[in-house]
mmCIF file of all heavy atoms in Angstrom:
data_model
loop_
_atom_site.group_PDB
_atom_site.id
_atom_site.type_symbol
_atom_site.label_atom_id
_atom_site.label_comp_id
_atom_site.label_asym_id
_atom_site.label_seq_id
_atom_site.Cartn_x
_atom_site.Cartn_y
_atom_site.Cartn_z
ATOM 1 N N SER G 2 -40.297 4.947 -19.799
ATOM 2 C CA SER G 2 -41.313 5.882 -20.297
ATOM 3 C C SER G 2 -41.922 5.352 -21.586
ATOM 4 O O SER G 2 -41.353 4.484 -22.246
ATOM 5 C CB SER G 2 -40.677 7.246 -20.572
ATOM 6 O OG SER G 2 -40.008 7.224 -21.824
ATOM 7 N N LEU G 6 -37.553 4.387 -27.316
ATOM 8 C CA LEU G 6 -37.681 3.628 -28.558
ATOM 9 C C LEU G 6 -37.770 2.129 -28.262
ATOM 10 O O LEU G 6 -37.091 1.618 -27.372
ATOM 11 C CB LEU G 6 -36.485 3.897 -29.474
ATOM 12 C CG LEU G 6 -36.315 5.332 -30.004
ATOM 13 C CD1 LEU G 6 -35.130 5.413 -30.955
ATOM 14 C CD2 LEU G 6 -37.580 5.846 -30.683
ATOM 15 N N TYR G 9 -34.845 -0.310 -27.484
ATOM 16 C CA TYR G 9 -34.097 -0.295 -26.213
ATOM 17 C C TYR G 9 -34.921 -0.845 -25.042
ATOM 18 O O TYR G 9 -34.472 -0.829 -23.905
ATOM 19 C CB TYR G 9 -33.639 1.125 -25.880
ATOM 20 C CG TYR G 9 -32.677 1.698 -26.901
ATOM 21 C CD1 TYR G 9 -32.953 2.899 -27.533
ATOM 22 C CD2 TYR G 9 -31.502 1.018 -27.230
ATOM 23 C CE1 TYR G 9 -32.076 3.427 -28.477
ATOM 24 C CE2 TYR G 9 -30.631 1.534 -28.168
ATOM 25 C CZ TYR G 9 -30.923 2.740 -28.791
ATOM 26 O OH TYR G 9 -30.053 3.257 -29.714
ATOM 27 N N TYR G 15 -24.994 -2.402 -18.168
ATOM 28 C CA TYR G 15 -23.897 -2.982 -17.400
ATOM 29 C C TYR G 15 -24.021 -2.557 -15.945
ATOM 30 O O TYR G 15 -24.426 -1.444 -15.637
ATOM 31 C CB TYR G 15 -22.564 -2.486 -17.969
ATOM 32 C CG TYR G 15 -21.354 -3.021 -17.240
ATOM 33 C CD1 TYR G 15 -21.022 -4.370 -17.326
ATOM 34 C CD2 TYR G 15 -20.547 -2.194 -16.463
ATOM 35 C CE1 TYR G 15 -19.906 -4.874 -16.666
ATOM 36 C CE2 TYR G 15 -19.430 -2.684 -15.803
ATOM 37 C CZ TYR G 15 -19.120 -4.030 -15.909
ATOM 38 O OH TYR G 15 -18.022 -4.524 -15.246
ATOM 39 N N PRO G 17 -21.812 -1.695 -12.933
ATOM 40 C CA PRO G 17 -20.437 -1.500 -12.473
ATOM 41 C C PRO G 17 -20.281 -2.084 -11.067
ATOM 42 O O PRO G 17 -21.273 -2.262 -10.357
ATOM 43 C CB PRO G 17 -20.277 0.021 -12.433
ATOM 44 C CG PRO G 17 -21.531 0.620 -12.960
ATOM 45 C CD PRO G 17 -22.577 -0.437 -12.973
ATOM 46 N N GLU G 33 -9.083 -1.005 -9.136
ATOM 47 C CA GLU G 33 -8.402 0.290 -9.139
ATOM 48 C C GLU G 33 -7.001 0.129 -8.566
ATOM 49 O O GLU G 33 -6.683 -0.887 -7.933
ATOM 50 C CB GLU G 33 -9.214 1.273 -8.272
ATOM 51 C CG GLU G 33 -10.568 1.627 -8.894
ATOM 52 C CD GLU G 33 -11.679 1.787 -7.866
ATOM 53 O OE1 GLU G 33 -11.627 1.098 -6.822
ATOM 54 O OE2 GLU G 33 -12.601 2.583 -8.123
ATOM 55 N N PRO G 35 -4.065 0.934 -5.854
ATOM 56 C CA PRO G 35 -4.007 1.410 -4.474
ATOM 57 C C PRO G 35 -3.132 2.662 -4.354
ATOM 58 O O PRO G 35 -3.049 3.257 -3.285
ATOM 59 C CB PRO G 35 -3.370 0.243 -3.734
ATOM 60 C CG PRO G 35 -2.518 -0.431 -4.745
ATOM 61 C CD PRO G 35 -3.197 -0.238 -6.080
ATOM 62 N N SER G 37 -1.846 6.596 -5.539
ATOM 63 C CA SER G 37 -2.312 7.848 -6.134
ATOM 64 C C SER G 37 -1.352 8.280 -7.241
ATOM 65 O O SER G 37 -0.209 7.829 -7.275
ATOM 66 C CB SER G 37 -2.382 8.937 -5.058
ATOM 67 O OG SER G 37 -3.375 8.609 -4.118
ATOM 68 N N PRO G 51 -6.963 27.603 -14.480
ATOM 69 C CA PRO G 51 -7.310 28.943 -14.989
ATOM 70 C C PRO G 51 -7.864 28.926 -16.420
ATOM 71 O O PRO G 51 -8.639 29.801 -16.789
ATOM 72 C CB PRO G 51 -5.968 29.696 -14.953
ATOM 73 C CG PRO G 51 -5.123 28.924 -13.987
ATOM 74 C CD PRO G 51 -5.554 27.510 -14.083
ATOM 75 N N LEU G 53 -9.715 26.501 -17.717
ATOM 76 C CA LEU G 53 -10.904 25.643 -17.861
ATOM 77 C C LEU G 53 -12.021 26.347 -18.615
ATOM 78 O O LEU G 53 -12.912 25.718 -19.161
ATOM 79 C CB LEU G 53 -11.431 25.215 -16.487
ATOM 80 C CG LEU G 53 -10.672 24.088 -15.800
ATOM 81 C CD1 LEU G 53 -11.361 23.721 -14.504
ATOM 82 C CD2 LEU G 53 -10.556 22.870 -16.717
ATOM 83 N N LYS G 54 -11.971 27.689 -18.628
ATOM 84 C CA LYS G 54 -12.983 28.452 -19.362
ATOM 85 C C LYS G 54 -12.956 28.141 -20.864
ATOM 86 O O LYS G 54 -13.953 28.323 -21.550
ATOM 87 C CB LYS G 54 -12.778 29.950 -19.131
ATOM 88 C CG LYS G 54 -11.433 30.452 -19.632
ATOM 89 C CD LYS G 54 -11.205 31.916 -19.271
ATOM 90 C CE LYS G 54 -9.802 32.331 -19.698
ATOM 91 N NZ LYS G 54 -9.474 33.686 -19.231
ATOM 92 N N LEU G 55 -11.818 27.705 -21.370
ATOM 93 C CA LEU G 55 -11.705 27.370 -22.800
ATOM 94 C C LEU G 55 -11.944 25.877 -23.031
ATOM 95 O O LEU G 55 -11.604 25.042 -22.197
ATOM 96 C CB LEU G 55 -10.312 27.735 -23.319
ATOM 97 C CG LEU G 55 -9.888 29.197 -23.155
ATOM 98 C CD1 LEU G 55 -8.471 29.397 -23.681
ATOM 99 C CD2 LEU G 55 -10.871 30.135 -23.865
ATOM 100 N N TYR G 56 -12.513 25.541 -24.184
ATOM 101 C CA TYR G 56 -12.708 24.131 -24.517
ATOM 102 C C TYR G 56 -11.389 23.379 -24.488
ATOM 103 O O TYR G 56 -10.325 23.941 -24.797
ATOM 104 C CB TYR G 56 -13.354 23.994 -25.905
ATOM 105 C CG TYR G 56 -14.843 24.217 -25.863
ATOM 106 C CD1 TYR G 56 -15.400 25.438 -26.228
ATOM 107 C CD2 TYR G 56 -15.689 23.211 -25.420
ATOM 108 C CE1 TYR G 56 -16.774 25.649 -26.152
ATOM 109 C CE2 TYR G 56 -17.062 23.416 -25.352
ATOM 110 C CZ TYR G 56 -17.592 24.619 -25.715
ATOM 111 O OH TYR G 56 -18.941 24.825 -25.634
ATOM 112 N N MET G 94 -19.514 0.184 -32.407
ATOM 113 C CA MET G 94 -20.466 0.976 -33.187
ATOM 114 C C MET G 94 -20.002 1.139 -34.638
ATOM 115 O O MET G 94 -20.787 1.011 -35.577
ATOM 116 C CB MET G 94 -20.580 2.347 -32.511
ATOM 117 C CG MET G 94 -21.654 3.246 -33.049
ATOM 118 S SD MET G 94 -21.583 4.850 -32.142
ATOM 119 C CE MET G 94 -22.822 5.743 -33.109
ATOM 120 N N ALA G 95 -18.708 1.404 -34.808
ATOM 121 C CA ALA G 95 -18.177 1.704 -36.147
ATOM 122 C C ALA G 95 -18.049 0.463 -37.030
ATOM 123 O O ALA G 95 -18.309 0.530 -38.230
ATOM 124 C CB ALA G 95 -16.801 2.375 -36.028
ATOM 125 N N LYS G 206 -6.124 1.520 -14.554
ATOM 126 C CA LYS G 206 -5.602 0.424 -13.744
ATOM 127 C C LYS G 206 -4.139 0.675 -13.368
ATOM 128 O O LYS G 206 -3.837 0.989 -12.232
ATOM 129 C CB LYS G 206 -5.737 -0.895 -14.527
ATOM 130 C CG LYS G 206 -7.107 -1.122 -15.163
ATOM 131 C CD LYS G 206 -8.204 -1.246 -14.129
ATOM 132 C CE LYS G 206 -9.568 -1.459 -14.786
ATOM 133 N NZ LYS G 206 -10.661 -1.440 -13.806
ATOM 134 N N PHE G 209 -3.256 4.750 -12.278
ATOM 135 C CA PHE G 209 -3.775 5.457 -11.082
ATOM 136 C C PHE G 209 -4.868 6.478 -11.387
ATOM 137 O O PHE G 209 -5.091 7.387 -10.599
ATOM 138 C CB PHE G 209 -2.638 6.211 -10.339
ATOM 139 C CG PHE G 209 -1.266 5.660 -10.555
ATOM 140 C CD1 PHE G 209 -0.361 6.267 -11.421
ATOM 141 C CD2 PHE G 209 -0.874 4.495 -9.914
ATOM 142 C CE1 PHE G 209 0.901 5.752 -11.632
ATOM 143 C CE2 PHE G 209 0.388 3.963 -10.119
ATOM 144 C CZ PHE G 209 1.288 4.588 -10.981
ATOM 145 N N ALA G 211 -8.348 6.056 -12.552
ATOM 146 C CA ALA G 211 -9.726 5.611 -12.834
ATOM 147 C C ALA G 211 -10.716 6.774 -12.744
ATOM 148 O O ALA G 211 -11.632 6.890 -13.558
ATOM 149 C CB ALA G 211 -10.123 4.499 -11.872
ATOM 150 N N GLY G 212 -10.512 7.640 -11.759
ATOM 151 C CA GLY G 212 -11.445 8.745 -11.543
ATOM 152 C C GLY G 212 -11.282 9.891 -12.519
ATOM 153 O O GLY G 212 -12.136 10.772 -12.596
ATOM 154 N N ARG G 214 -10.832 9.368 -15.849
ATOM 155 C CA ARG G 214 -11.441 8.888 -17.097
ATOM 156 C C ARG G 214 -10.543 9.148 -18.307
ATOM 157 O O ARG G 214 -10.656 10.168 -18.979
ATOM 158 C CB ARG G 214 -12.830 9.510 -17.330
ATOM 159 C CG ARG G 214 -13.748 9.570 -16.140
ATOM 160 C CD ARG G 214 -13.964 8.211 -15.450
ATOM 161 N NE ARG G 214 -14.438 7.207 -16.359
ATOM 162 C CZ ARG G 214 -13.824 6.024 -16.573
ATOM 163 N NH1 ARG G 214 -12.701 5.704 -15.947
ATOM 164 N NH2 ARG G 214 -14.320 5.168 -17.418
ATOM 165 N N ASP G 227 -11.979 6.610 -39.036
ATOM 166 C CA ASP G 227 -13.388 6.198 -38.934
ATOM 167 C C ASP G 227 -13.920 6.431 -37.516
ATOM 168 O O ASP G 227 -15.043 6.912 -37.332
ATOM 169 C CB ASP G 227 -13.540 4.712 -39.273
ATOM 170 C CG ASP G 227 -13.273 4.432 -40.748
ATOM 171 O OD1 ASP G 227 -13.325 5.377 -41.559
ATOM 172 O OD2 ASP G 227 -13.015 3.259 -41.090
ATOM 173 N N TYR G 233 -16.540 12.742 -33.497
ATOM 174 C CA TYR G 233 -16.889 14.122 -33.852
ATOM 175 C C TYR G 233 -18.371 14.274 -34.197
ATOM 176 O O TYR G 233 -18.841 15.380 -34.414
ATOM 177 C CB TYR G 233 -16.033 14.613 -35.024
ATOM 178 C CG TYR G 233 -14.671 15.129 -34.590
ATOM 179 C CD1 TYR G 233 -13.531 14.349 -34.727
ATOM 180 C CD2 TYR G 233 -14.544 16.390 -34.016
ATOM 181 C CE1 TYR G 233 -12.282 14.817 -34.322
ATOM 182 C CE2 TYR G 233 -13.315 16.869 -33.601
ATOM 183 C CZ TYR G 233 -12.182 16.080 -33.759
ATOM 184 O OH TYR G 233 -10.972 16.554 -33.346
ATOM 185 N N TYR G 238 -15.445 17.071 -27.933
ATOM 186 C CA TYR G 238 -14.562 17.423 -26.815
ATOM 187 C C TYR G 238 -14.756 16.373 -25.725
ATOM 188 O O TYR G 238 -15.176 16.679 -24.612
ATOM 189 C CB TYR G 238 -14.935 18.796 -26.258
ATOM 190 C CG TYR G 238 -14.926 19.936 -27.254
ATOM 191 C CD1 TYR G 238 -16.106 20.396 -27.835
ATOM 192 C CD2 TYR G 238 -13.732 20.577 -27.589
ATOM 193 C CE1 TYR G 238 -16.096 21.462 -28.726
ATOM 194 C CE2 TYR G 238 -13.723 21.648 -28.471
ATOM 195 C CZ TYR G 238 -14.906 22.084 -29.038
ATOM 196 O OH TYR G 238 -14.905 23.141 -29.905
ATOM 197 N N ASN G 241 -11.695 16.032 -20.982
ATOM 198 C CA ASN G 241 -11.500 17.357 -20.399
ATOM 199 C C ASN G 241 -10.015 17.692 -20.290
ATOM 200 O O ASN G 241 -9.153 16.804 -20.298
ATOM 201 C CB ASN G 241 -12.176 17.425 -19.027
ATOM 202 C CG ASN G 241 -11.397 16.697 -17.987
ATOM 203 O OD1 ASN G 241 -10.488 17.252 -17.367
ATOM 204 N ND2 ASN G 241 -11.687 15.410 -17.796
ATOM 205 N N SER G 242 -9.708 18.996 -20.149
ATOM 206 C CA SER G 242 -8.296 19.395 -20.222
ATOM 207 C C SER G 242 -7.481 19.000 -18.998
ATOM 208 O O SER G 242 -6.274 18.780 -19.110
ATOM 209 C CB SER G 242 -8.155 20.899 -20.509
ATOM 210 O OG SER G 242 -9.207 21.636 -20.012
ATOM 211 N N SER A 2 -11.969 3.328 -43.928
ATOM 212 C CA SER A 2 -11.507 1.941 -44.036
ATOM 213 C C SER A 2 -12.597 1.072 -44.653
ATOM 214 O O SER A 2 -13.767 1.460 -44.677
ATOM 215 C CB SER A 2 -11.150 1.387 -42.659
ATOM 216 O OG SER A 2 -12.333 0.999 -41.980
ATOM 217 N N LEU A 6 -18.908 0.452 -41.109
ATOM 218 C CA LEU A 6 -20.246 0.005 -41.502
ATOM 219 C C LEU A 6 -20.823 0.946 -42.556
ATOM 220 O O LEU A 6 -20.644 2.161 -42.482
ATOM 221 C CB LEU A 6 -21.174 -0.049 -40.282
ATOM 222 C CG LEU A 6 -20.812 -1.055 -39.187
ATOM 223 C CD1 LEU A 6 -21.870 -1.027 -38.070
ATOM 224 C CD2 LEU A 6 -20.654 -2.470 -39.726
ATOM 225 N N TYR A 9 -22.520 4.407 -41.954
ATOM 226 C CA TYR A 9 -21.765 5.613 -41.578
ATOM 227 C C TYR A 9 -20.923 6.178 -42.715
ATOM 228 O O TYR A 9 -20.197 7.144 -42.531
ATOM 229 C CB TYR A 9 -20.866 5.320 -40.367
ATOM 230 C CG TYR A 9 -21.625 4.906 -39.129
ATOM 231 C CD1 TYR A 9 -21.355 3.701 -38.500
ATOM 232 C CD2 TYR A 9 -22.625 5.724 -38.600
ATOM 233 C CE1 TYR A 9 -22.056 3.307 -37.364
ATOM 234 C CE2 TYR A 9 -23.334 5.343 -37.471
ATOM 235 C CZ TYR A 9 -23.044 4.133 -36.860
ATOM 236 O OH TYR A 9 -23.741 3.754 -35.742
ATOM 237 N N TYR A 15 -19.684 16.917 -37.083
ATOM 238 C CA TYR A 15 -19.768 18.324 -36.715
ATOM 239 C C TYR A 15 -18.370 18.944 -36.766
ATOM 240 O O TYR A 15 -17.388 18.300 -36.437
ATOM 241 C CB TYR A 15 -20.337 18.441 -35.303
ATOM 242 C CG TYR A 15 -20.458 19.867 -34.820
ATOM 243 C CD1 TYR A 15 -21.373 20.738 -35.398
ATOM 244 C CD2 TYR A 15 -19.668 20.339 -33.785
ATOM 245 C CE1 TYR A 15 -21.488 22.044 -34.953
ATOM 246 C CE2 TYR A 15 -19.788 21.651 -33.327
ATOM 247 C CZ TYR A 15 -20.700 22.495 -33.926
ATOM 248 O OH TYR A 15 -20.812 23.788 -33.484
ATOM 249 N N PRO A 17 -16.285 21.592 -34.969
ATOM 250 C CA PRO A 17 -16.265 22.555 -33.857
ATOM 251 C C PRO A 17 -15.568 23.834 -34.301
ATOM 252 O O PRO A 17 -14.782 23.824 -35.253
ATOM 253 C CB PRO A 17 -15.429 21.851 -32.778
ATOM 254 C CG PRO A 17 -15.094 20.479 -33.268
ATOM 255 C CD PRO A 17 -15.373 20.446 -34.743
ATOM 256 N N GLU A 33 -17.018 30.758 -25.360
ATOM 257 C CA GLU A 33 -16.515 30.431 -24.029
ATOM 258 C C GLU A 33 -16.604 31.671 -23.136
ATOM 259 O O GLU A 33 -16.784 32.792 -23.620
ATOM 260 C CB GLU A 33 -15.042 29.983 -24.150
ATOM 261 C CG GLU A 33 -14.896 28.644 -24.868
ATOM 262 C CD GLU A 33 -13.665 28.569 -25.759
ATOM 263 O OE1 GLU A 33 -13.241 29.634 -26.296
ATOM 264 O OE2 GLU A 33 -13.140 27.454 -25.948
ATOM 265 N N PRO A 35 -15.005 34.580 -20.781
ATOM 266 C CA PRO A 35 -13.695 35.224 -20.633
ATOM 267 C C PRO A 35 -13.182 35.112 -19.192
ATOM 268 O O PRO A 35 -12.067 35.530 -18.913
ATOM 269 C CB PRO A 35 -13.988 36.675 -20.992
ATOM 270 C CG PRO A 35 -15.413 36.885 -20.616
ATOM 271 C CD PRO A 35 -16.104 35.562 -20.824
ATOM 272 N N SER A 37 -12.279 32.975 -15.577
ATOM 273 C CA SER A 37 -11.886 31.669 -15.056
ATOM 274 C C SER A 37 -12.792 31.288 -13.893
ATOM 275 O O SER A 37 -13.432 32.143 -13.291
ATOM 276 C CB SER A 37 -10.432 31.721 -14.583
ATOM 277 O OG SER A 37 -9.592 31.935 -15.686
ATOM 278 N N PRO A 51 -5.705 13.166 -5.004
ATOM 279 C CA PRO A 51 -5.240 11.930 -4.359
ATOM 280 C C PRO A 51 -6.167 10.735 -4.586
ATOM 281 O O PRO A 51 -5.719 9.599 -4.572
ATOM 282 C CB PRO A 51 -5.199 12.308 -2.871
ATOM 283 C CG PRO A 51 -5.158 13.792 -2.838
ATOM 284 C CD PRO A 51 -5.898 14.260 -4.041
ATOM 285 N N LEU A 53 -7.929 10.178 -7.324
ATOM 286 C CA LEU A 53 -8.152 9.885 -8.746
ATOM 287 C C LEU A 53 -7.977 8.403 -9.037
ATOM 288 O O LEU A 53 -8.470 7.895 -10.037
ATOM 289 C CB LEU A 53 -7.186 10.682 -9.622
ATOM 290 C CG LEU A 53 -7.535 12.141 -9.856
ATOM 291 C CD1 LEU A 53 -6.528 12.769 -10.814
ATOM 292 C CD2 LEU A 53 -8.955 12.290 -10.395
ATOM 293 N N LYS A 54 -7.258 7.704 -8.178
ATOM 294 C CA LYS A 54 -7.075 6.265 -8.370
ATOM 295 C C LYS A 54 -8.398 5.503 -8.318
ATOM 296 O O LYS A 54 -8.505 4.419 -8.867
ATOM 297 C CB LYS A 54 -6.114 5.727 -7.301
ATOM 298 C CG LYS A 54 -6.629 5.899 -5.880
ATOM 299 C CD LYS A 54 -5.607 5.468 -4.848
ATOM 300 C CE LYS A 54 -6.133 5.772 -3.439
ATOM 301 N NZ LYS A 54 -5.136 5.495 -2.406
ATOM 302 N N LEU A 55 -9.397 6.067 -7.646
ATOM 303 C CA LEU A 55 -10.708 5.405 -7.560
ATOM 304 C C LEU A 55 -11.652 5.931 -8.642
ATOM 305 O O LEU A 55 -11.588 7.090 -9.028
ATOM 306 C CB LEU A 55 -11.344 5.659 -6.188
ATOM 307 C CG LEU A 55 -10.524 5.223 -4.978
ATOM 308 C CD1 LEU A 55 -11.255 5.563 -3.686
ATOM 309 C CD2 LEU A 55 -10.218 3.722 -5.043
ATOM 310 N N TYR A 56 -12.540 5.074 -9.125
ATOM 311 C CA TYR A 56 -13.519 5.510 -10.113
ATOM 312 C C TYR A 56 -14.342 6.666 -9.581
ATOM 313 O O TYR A 56 -14.586 6.777 -8.378
ATOM 314 C CB TYR A 56 -14.453 4.350 -10.492
ATOM 315 C CG TYR A 56 -13.823 3.417 -11.495
ATOM 316 C CD1 TYR A 56 -13.238 2.216 -11.111
ATOM 317 C CD2 TYR A 56 -13.790 3.757 -12.848
ATOM 318 C CE1 TYR A 56 -12.634 1.379 -12.038
ATOM 319 C CE2 TYR A 56 -13.188 2.932 -13.777
ATOM 320 C CZ TYR A 56 -12.608 1.741 -13.377
ATOM 321 O OH TYR A 56 -12.015 0.942 -14.297
ATOM 322 N N MET A 94 -30.861 9.639 -29.230
ATOM 323 C CA MET A 94 -30.702 8.190 -29.342
ATOM 324 C C MET A 94 -31.868 7.453 -28.669
ATOM 325 O O MET A 94 -32.412 6.500 -29.218
ATOM 326 C CB MET A 94 -29.377 7.820 -28.662
ATOM 327 C CG MET A 94 -28.947 6.393 -28.839
ATOM 328 S SD MET A 94 -27.372 6.146 -27.916
ATOM 329 C CE MET A 94 -27.208 4.373 -28.163
ATOM 330 N N ALA A 95 -32.258 7.929 -27.494
ATOM 331 C CA ALA A 95 -33.282 7.230 -26.701
ATOM 332 C C ALA A 95 -34.692 7.410 -27.252
ATOM 333 O O ALA A 95 -35.493 6.476 -27.235
ATOM 334 C CB ALA A 95 -33.247 7.714 -25.250
ATOM 335 N N LYS A 206 -20.669 27.646 -20.718
ATOM 336 C CA LYS A 206 -20.841 29.040 -21.128
ATOM 337 C C LYS A 206 -20.866 29.966 -19.908
ATOM 338 O O LYS A 206 -19.921 30.684 -19.648
ATOM 339 C CB LYS A 206 -22.140 29.177 -21.938
ATOM 340 C CG LYS A 206 -22.314 28.149 -23.055
ATOM 341 C CD LYS A 206 -21.253 28.239 -24.129
ATOM 342 C CE LYS A 206 -21.448 27.176 -25.203
ATOM 343 N NZ LYS A 206 -20.357 27.177 -26.182
ATOM 344 N N PHE A 209 -18.022 28.949 -16.830
ATOM 345 C CA PHE A 209 -16.546 29.030 -16.950
ATOM 346 C C PHE A 209 -15.865 27.672 -17.092
ATOM 347 O O PHE A 209 -14.677 27.543 -16.808
ATOM 348 C CB PHE A 209 -15.926 29.734 -15.707
ATOM 349 C CG PHE A 209 -16.832 30.656 -14.980
ATOM 350 C CD1 PHE A 209 -17.449 30.295 -13.787
ATOM 351 C CD2 PHE A 209 -17.100 31.916 -15.505
ATOM 352 C CE1 PHE A 209 -18.299 31.160 -13.127
ATOM 353 C CE2 PHE A 209 -17.939 32.788 -14.845
ATOM 354 C CZ PHE A 209 -18.541 32.409 -13.656
ATOM 355 N N ALA A 211 -15.889 25.211 -19.872
ATOM 356 C CA ALA A 211 -15.921 24.500 -21.157
ATOM 357 C C ALA A 211 -14.894 23.369 -21.196
ATOM 358 O O ALA A 211 -15.159 22.286 -21.704
ATOM 359 C CB ALA A 211 -15.677 25.482 -22.306
ATOM 360 N N GLY A 212 -13.715 23.644 -20.642
ATOM 361 C CA GLY A 212 -12.637 22.658 -20.690
ATOM 362 C C GLY A 212 -12.796 21.519 -19.707
ATOM 363 O O GLY A 212 -12.081 20.513 -19.791
ATOM 364 N N ARG A 214 -15.776 19.947 -19.209
ATOM 365 C CA ARG A 214 -16.809 19.101 -19.789
ATOM 366 C C ARG A 214 -17.877 18.713 -18.775
ATOM 367 O O ARG A 214 -17.779 17.678 -18.121
ATOM 368 C CB ARG A 214 -16.196 17.824 -20.429
ATOM 369 C CG ARG A 214 -14.956 18.025 -21.276
ATOM 370 C CD ARG A 214 -15.123 19.087 -22.379
ATOM 371 N NE ARG A 214 -16.224 18.759 -23.256
ATOM 372 C CZ ARG A 214 -17.243 19.607 -23.483
ATOM 373 N NH1 ARG A 214 -17.283 20.809 -22.927
ATOM 374 N NH2 ARG A 214 -18.206 19.269 -24.291
ATOM 375 N N ASP A 227 -34.692 6.256 -18.458
ATOM 376 C CA ASP A 227 -34.399 5.745 -19.806
ATOM 377 C C ASP A 227 -33.021 6.210 -20.276
ATOM 378 O O ASP A 227 -32.250 5.438 -20.854
ATOM 379 C CB ASP A 227 -35.451 6.243 -20.811
ATOM 380 C CG ASP A 227 -36.825 5.616 -20.566
ATOM 381 O OD1 ASP A 227 -36.890 4.575 -19.892
ATOM 382 O OD2 ASP A 227 -37.809 6.188 -21.056
ATOM 383 N N TYR A 233 -25.574 3.865 -18.913
ATOM 384 C CA TYR A 233 -24.955 2.705 -18.254
ATOM 385 C C TYR A 233 -24.665 1.574 -19.244
ATOM 386 O O TYR A 233 -24.055 0.586 -18.877
ATOM 387 C CB TYR A 233 -25.840 2.193 -17.116
ATOM 388 C CG TYR A 233 -25.652 2.941 -15.818
ATOM 389 C CD1 TYR A 233 -26.574 3.895 -15.392
ATOM 390 C CD2 TYR A 233 -24.540 2.707 -15.018
ATOM 391 C CE1 TYR A 233 -26.395 4.591 -14.208
ATOM 392 C CE2 TYR A 233 -24.348 3.401 -13.834
ATOM 393 C CZ TYR A 233 -25.276 4.336 -13.431
ATOM 394 O OH TYR A 233 -25.080 5.025 -12.259
ATOM 395 N N TYR A 238 -19.234 5.640 -16.153
ATOM 396 C CA TYR A 238 -18.456 6.644 -15.412
ATOM 397 C C TYR A 238 -18.164 7.783 -16.363
ATOM 398 O O TYR A 238 -17.000 8.089 -16.654
ATOM 399 C CB TYR A 238 -17.145 6.047 -14.922
ATOM 400 C CG TYR A 238 -17.264 4.814 -14.055
ATOM 401 C CD1 TYR A 238 -17.082 3.544 -14.578
ATOM 402 C CD2 TYR A 238 -17.523 4.932 -12.689
ATOM 403 C CE1 TYR A 238 -17.161 2.410 -13.778
ATOM 404 C CE2 TYR A 238 -17.608 3.809 -11.890
ATOM 405 C CZ TYR A 238 -17.429 2.552 -12.432
ATOM 406 O OH TYR A 238 -17.497 1.444 -11.633
ATOM 407 N N ASN A 241 -15.672 12.637 -14.943
ATOM 408 C CA ASN A 241 -14.542 12.415 -14.041
ATOM 409 C C ASN A 241 -14.750 13.137 -12.708
ATOM 410 O O ASN A 241 -15.526 14.087 -12.609
ATOM 411 C CB ASN A 241 -13.248 12.863 -14.723
ATOM 412 C CG ASN A 241 -13.112 14.354 -14.722
ATOM 413 O OD1 ASN A 241 -12.603 14.945 -13.772
ATOM 414 N ND2 ASN A 241 -13.612 15.003 -15.777
ATOM 415 N N SER A 242 -14.013 12.704 -11.688
ATOM 416 C CA SER A 242 -14.292 13.226 -10.341
ATOM 417 C C SER A 242 -13.835 14.664 -10.142
ATOM 418 O O SER A 242 -14.428 15.397 -9.345
ATOM 419 C CB SER A 242 -13.709 12.324 -9.249
ATOM 420 O OG SER A 242 -12.583 11.645 -9.667
#
Side-chain angles (χ1 to χ4, degrees):
Chain G
S2 80
L6 296 183
Y9 297 124
Y15 180 69
E33 292 143 329
S37 294
L53 282 184
K54 62 185 176 187
L55 303 178
Y56 280 100
M94 188 182 174
K206 312 296 179 186
F209 335 102
R214 316 306 305 124
D227 291 341
Y233 277 101
Y238 304 99
N241 75 87
S242 30
Chain A
S2 80
L6 296 182
Y9 299 123
Y15 180 68
E33 292 143 330
S37 294
L53 281 184
K54 62 185 175 185
L55 303 179
Y56 280 100
M94 188 182 175
K206 311 297 179 185
F209 335 102
R214 315 307 303 124
D227 291 341
Y233 276 103
Y238 303 99
N241 77 87
S242 29

